[in-house]
Amino acid sequence: MKLVFLGPPGAGKGTQAMGVAEHYGIAHISTGDMLRSEIREGTSLGREAQAYMDKGELVPDSVIVGMVKNRIAQEDCKNGFLLDGFPRTVPQAEALDQMGVRIDLVVSIEVRDEAIVKRMSGRRVCDCCGASYHVEFNPSKDGKTCDKDGTVLTQRKDDQPEVVLDRLSTYHQQTEPIKSYYKGTGKLRLVDGEQPVSEVTDAVFATIDSVQ
Ligand code: ADP
Ligand code: ADP
């Protein structure tokens, strides 16, 4: 099964993606996590990406498409994958088609801009496994470390309110048009992301199961 999760920054894509990928035995591919790991490792790709990410802008399509192409060729993607944060532009969606990838379903997690800023200020992430928590809405068990691997949680540099506003505007200009692109293929489903985490999870699973 090949899935795409769409939605604004902070919609809950990463939160939902982990459980979904585990349940269906498919690879979870977060382009944001991949880029952050390139930055930590100090690669040339990471250095190029960082300047864009810090400003809330998108990393150029050419960089991202090559990275995703290599990733989906790996062994753990044989059974399928969940793309979280890719495609983010219409040319990226077209590139996926050109790679011969047939997407089964695109789930767009819908959250209004007003709710996003509040979510981002409380987001805490695990730099080791990419898990995402929220100080109020979805805290880890001890509020400080990751439930899965015990790593101390951190705040992302691009989650400051000014950068979040820039990321939202980038989303509306460059990513939202993808919805029309996939609507035309009949693969797009919308899920209300402004419900408690467990209710969004139920809605996401119901949506995926309805097309299986
Ligand atoms: P969020 O989970 O908040 O939506 P991500 O972790 O997916 O954010 O992405 C963080 C940043 O990484 C983005 O703001 C962008 O700069 C870059 N990025 C991630 N995925 C892509 C992509 N598919 N195309 C271009 N830039 C990307
Ligand atoms: P994305 O991957 O789409 O950028 P995340 O999954 O990282 O989003 O979620 C962004 C923030 O919002 C995190 O702090 C997360 O714990 C929190 N969050 C996720 N889903 C919900 C929800 N349904 N209600 C409230 N907060 C949520």
Side-chain angles (χ1 to χ4, degrees), residues 114-133:
E114 301 86 274
I116 294 293
V117 180
K118 196 168 174 199
R119 281 192 187 187
M120 299 307 232
S121 58
R123 170 152 72 176
R124 299 291 181 272
V125 295
C126 172
D127 291 337
C128 179
C129 73
S132 180
Y133 299 90

Side-chain angles (χ1 to χ4, degrees), residues 192-210:
D192 175 8
E194 286 192 48
Q195 319 174 66
V197 172
S198 64
E199 288 175 31
V200 179
T201 305
D202 291 346
V204 167
F205 274 105
T207 304
I208 298 171
D209 288 337
S210 72

Side-chain angles (χ1 to χ4, degrees), residues 7-16 84 88 109 111 119-120 122-125 130-135 137-139 156 159 167 192-198 200:
K13 300 181 295 295
T15 301
Q16 300 299 335
D84 161 10
R88 246 179 163 101
I109 304 181
V111 178
R119 281 192 187 187
M120 299 307 232
R123 170 152 72 176
R124 299 291 181 272
V125 295
S132 180
Y133 299 90
H134 190 280
V135 287
F137 307 133
N138 189 26
R156 270 171 49 177
D159 277 351
R167 288 161 68 201
D192 175 8
E194 286 192 48
Q195 319 174 66
V197 172
S198 64
V200 179

Side-chain angles (χ1 to χ4, degrees), residues 3-25:
L3 304 174
V4 169
F5 275 10
L6 273 183
K13 300 181 295 295
T15 301
Q16 300 299 335
M18 285 210 163
V20 168
E22 203 177 324
H23 180 83
Y24 294 102

Side-chain angles (χ1 to χ4, degrees), residues 88-196:
R88 246 179 163 101
T89 62
V90 171
Q92 290 181 15
E94 287 166 351
L96 201 54
D97 288 343
Q98 278 150 21
M99 285 176 217
V101 174
R102 287 176 56 90
I103 296 297
D104 298 298
L105 181 68
V106 178
V107 178
S108 176
I109 304 181
E110 304 281 305
V111 178
R112 287 163 307 141
D113 289 6
E114 301 86 274
I116 294 293
V117 180
K118 196 168 174 199
R119 281 192 187 187
M120 299 307 232
S121 58
R123 170 152 72 176
R124 299 291 181 272
V125 295
C126 172
D127 291 337
C128 179
C129 73
S132 180
Y133 299 90
H134 190 280
V135 287
E136 187 185 339
F137 307 133
N138 189 26
S140 75
K141 289 200 184 79
D142 66 6
K144 294 190 187 83
T145 60
C146 177
D147 292 345
K148 296 186 180 73
D149 51 42
T151 304
V152 174
L153 301 176
T154 57
Q155 221 173 341
R156 270 171 49 177
K157 201 170 156 193
D158 61 347
D159 277 351
Q160 319 152 38
E162 315 84 72
V163 187
V164 170
L165 294 177
D166 289 338
R167 288 161 68 201
L168 276 173
S169 121
T170 301
Y171 169 77
H172 290 303
Q173 283 171 30
Q174 299 190 58
T175 307
E176 223 171 6
I178 298 184
K179 287 200 322 202
S180 316
Y181 181 86
Y182 283 121
K183 206 172 175 184
T185 66
K187 307 275 185 203
L188 180 72
R189 300 286 183 282
L190 308 188
V191 165
D192 175 8
E194 286 192 48
Q195 319 174 66

